[in-house]
Amino acid sequence: MVGAGRQGIATAGYLAAHGARVAITDARPAEQLAAARQRLSAFDLEWSLGGHPSSLLDLAELLVLSGGVPGELPLVQAALARGIPVSNDSQLFLELAPCKVIGITGSAGKTTTTMLVGRILKAMEGKQINRAWVGGNLGNPLLSDVDAMSATDLAVMELSSFQLEWMTRSPHIAAILNLAPNHLDRHASMENYIAAKARILEYQTTDSTAILNIDDAATWMLASRARGRLWAFSGQVLPADTLGAYVRGDAVWLRDEHGEHQVLPCAEIELIGQHNLLNVVAACAVAAAAAAPLEAIQSGVRAFRGAPHRLERVRTVNGVDWYNDSIATAPQRSEAALRSFDQPIVLLLGGRDKGLPWEDLAKLARDRVRQVVFFGEAGGMLSAVFNRLAPELPNALVPDLESAVQSAATAAQPGDLVLLAPGGTSFDEFVDFEARGERFRQLVNQL
């Protein structure tokens, strides 16, 4: 098991509990992994910390990777050279799950859409299905729960490109929400990134369903790879011969084998932003493809206010609204956040760059932002980009998130909105986007 993060701990525990001899290797030193070792203390495991010695492969029959482990790691390359199979927790789960599984991927909106589908499935419990399970990349590795599942259950899982690039199983229902440049620091090219995402369709059968965003050209180009039913979702009316979910007028509609049905008015959706409306439409298509009744879909969508750190309102201070969109770890996600508001914005931008283009965001900010505060490792680079493309836009350059909040608090005026939509990852200062969002909340609540 390579990596003792959340996925690694869950996978090592499952395999050890089922009789496997498990060795865990992590590049971090022992003092940083005390909590992980405590959680696995009931099992007789071999720990190799501070590096990844190739001698671990001498007895290995399977190499299992946590999501953040790159294929270029020498240990992974050595395993492949020896013919040792490489897998991950999601692959193992799909091999073992007794029930049908829904998989959702995309460059943005995965967690929100997966949570929405999960809410809809929960509304089906005790009626159309026995029990709903929600997990994957958004938090809970479903491998931990697989022994409690039955054939009459239904599971939905979020899948990242990091997980998909190793998988040789596809979920029964697979959705790709969108494809935009992301994680190019890991995948090296857009072609590699799309290839990883497309694997969610590659191992489907004629009994499977693929659900794709017809509005997104890069995503819809994968329609030819669908092996079973093909459904679509759209922010406008679907072509007449296409099944799926869409927006018509001021409502969300569904078209299935039985005709067209209004799901609910857009005014009843509590999520902010056009991108979130599309996430709702996608969730409706996914749930309907899984035979969810209209009442369950409506119940799941209504009153859903979103996942933490995703356009999350923190508070209003001195007439200024503060919003946490720490999940915006790519420039395109920051663009979507900017388009979600009409009031003047003070934008907090920074973190660690992923090698993605920032030019479109700079041009959009020129029209929608009153001031930008750059922070973190990418701050200096972003300052140079914005000063070149939007020289008239006031900006400040500060070292870290705490300084950024203080700078924004000074700059913001009553009626403004301060938006943390960094566009970069959190790894220059925090372990993940959630930790960054929590710290942002804490700093704002201290104002």
Side-chain angles (χ1 to χ4, degrees), residues 142-437:
L142 287 173
L143 186 62
S144 303
D145 299 319
V146 70
D147 288 347
M149 296 181 184
S150 71
T152 52
D153 294 349
L154 192 52
V156 56
M157 63 191 310
E158 176 186 325
L159 289 165
S160 72
S161 59
F162 297 171
Q163 293 166 311
L164 286 165
E165 65 182 340
W166 293 106
M167 291 172 62
T168 56
R169 285 284 182 111
S170 292
H172 304 88
I173 297 173
I176 304 179
L177 304 180
N178 42 59
L179 291 168
N182 203 352
H183 300 300
L184 299 191
D185 53 338
R186 164 75 171 264
H187 294 292
S189 71
M190 189 63 182
E191 290 74 20
N192 291 345
Y193 174 64
I194 291 176
K197 291 289 194 183
R199 288 176 76 88
I200 198 172
L201 306 176
E202 194 165 330
Y203 303 97
Q204 287 195 307
T205 69
T206 54
D207 294 327
S208 304
T209 303
I211 300 166
L212 304 177
N213 182 350
I214 199 171
D215 298 343
D216 185 77
T219 304
W220 194 245
M221 280 181 65
L222 300 176
S224 61
R225 302 196 192 184
R227 301 178 185 274
R229 289 194 305 170
L230 174 64
W231 279 34
F233 66 93
S234 174
Q236 52 197 343
V237 178
L238 288 172
D241 59 345
T242 305
L243 302 183
Y246 58 93
V247 178
R248 186 171 83 196
D250 57 359
V252 176
W253 287 75
L254 176 69
R255 183 189 297 144
D256 59 19
E257 294 88 348
H258 306 292
E260 293 187 301
H261 324 274
Q262 181 175 315
V263 181
L264 78 173
C266 295
E268 293 185 16
I269 298 170
E270 298 203 20
L271 296 174
I272 298 170
Q274 183 67 24
H275 63 297
N276 272 325
L277 173 59
L278 208 55
N279 290 335
V280 170
V281 176
C284 292
V286 170
L294 199 57
E295 314 82 70
I297 296 174
Q298 293 164 337
S299 173
V301 172
R302 288 190 178 115
F304 179 60
R305 295 180 176 85
H309 317 299
R310 294 158 176 84
L311 288 184
E312 174 190 22
R313 184 181 176 279
V314 180
R315 65 184 295 218
T316 299
V317 187
N318 299 324
V320 176
D321 297 327
W322 290 75
Y323 276 81
N324 166 22
D325 198 40
S326 184
I327 186 62
T329 59
Q332 189 176 57
R333 298 194 72 153
S334 301
E335 293 172 39
L338 288 182
R339 291 191 177 98
S340 301
F341 301 101
D342 294 324
Q343 63 203 99
I345 295 172
V346 177
L347 175 64
L348 275 60
L349 212 58
R352 174 170 291 173
D353 181 39
K354 292 196 286 188
L356 304 176
W358 294 88
E359 287 75 13
D360 288 348
L361 175 59
K363 293 171 185 175
L364 179 66
R366 190 171 54 199
D367 300 326
R368 290 180 173 259
V369 173
R370 200 167 59 73
Q371 176 157 335
V372 186
V373 180
F374 304 111
F375 69 95
E377 189 178 286
M381 177 274 292
L382 291 172
S383 177
V385 170
F386 274 65
N387 284 331
R388 174 170 56 85
L389 295 174
E392 69 278 18
L393 180 60
N395 65 73
L397 175 60
V398 299
D400 53 29
L401 181 62
E402 183 172 358
S403 305
V405 169
Q406 292 299 326
S407 178
T410 301
Q413 302 172 6
D416 285 356
L417 182 147
V418 177
L419 174 64
L420 172 67
T425 72
S426 59
F427 303 130
D428 59 333
E429 191 177 351
F430 303 95
V431 296
D432 54 28
F433 76 88
E434 293 166 321
R436 177 171 61 189

Side-chain angles (χ1 to χ4, degrees), residues 25-90:
T25 177
D26 196 296
R28 292 172 291 177
E31 56 266 23
Q32 294 183 22
L33 291 165
R37 299 186 75 171
Q38 178 60 38
R39 287 183 61 184
L40 292 169
S41 59
F43 304 107
D44 182 19
L45 308 177
E46 177 185 342
W47 289 85
S48 180
L49 305 178
H52 304 297
S54 59
S55 58
L56 287 169
L57 299 177
D58 291 344
L59 295 176
E61 296 173 276
L62 180 67
L63 192 72
V64 185
L65 308 183
S66 285
V69 177
E72 295 75 25
L73 189 76
L75 186 70
V76 179
Q77 290 299 308
L80 293 172
R82 295 192 194 191
I84 298 171
V86 177
S87 188
N88 59 31
D89 67 298
S90 299

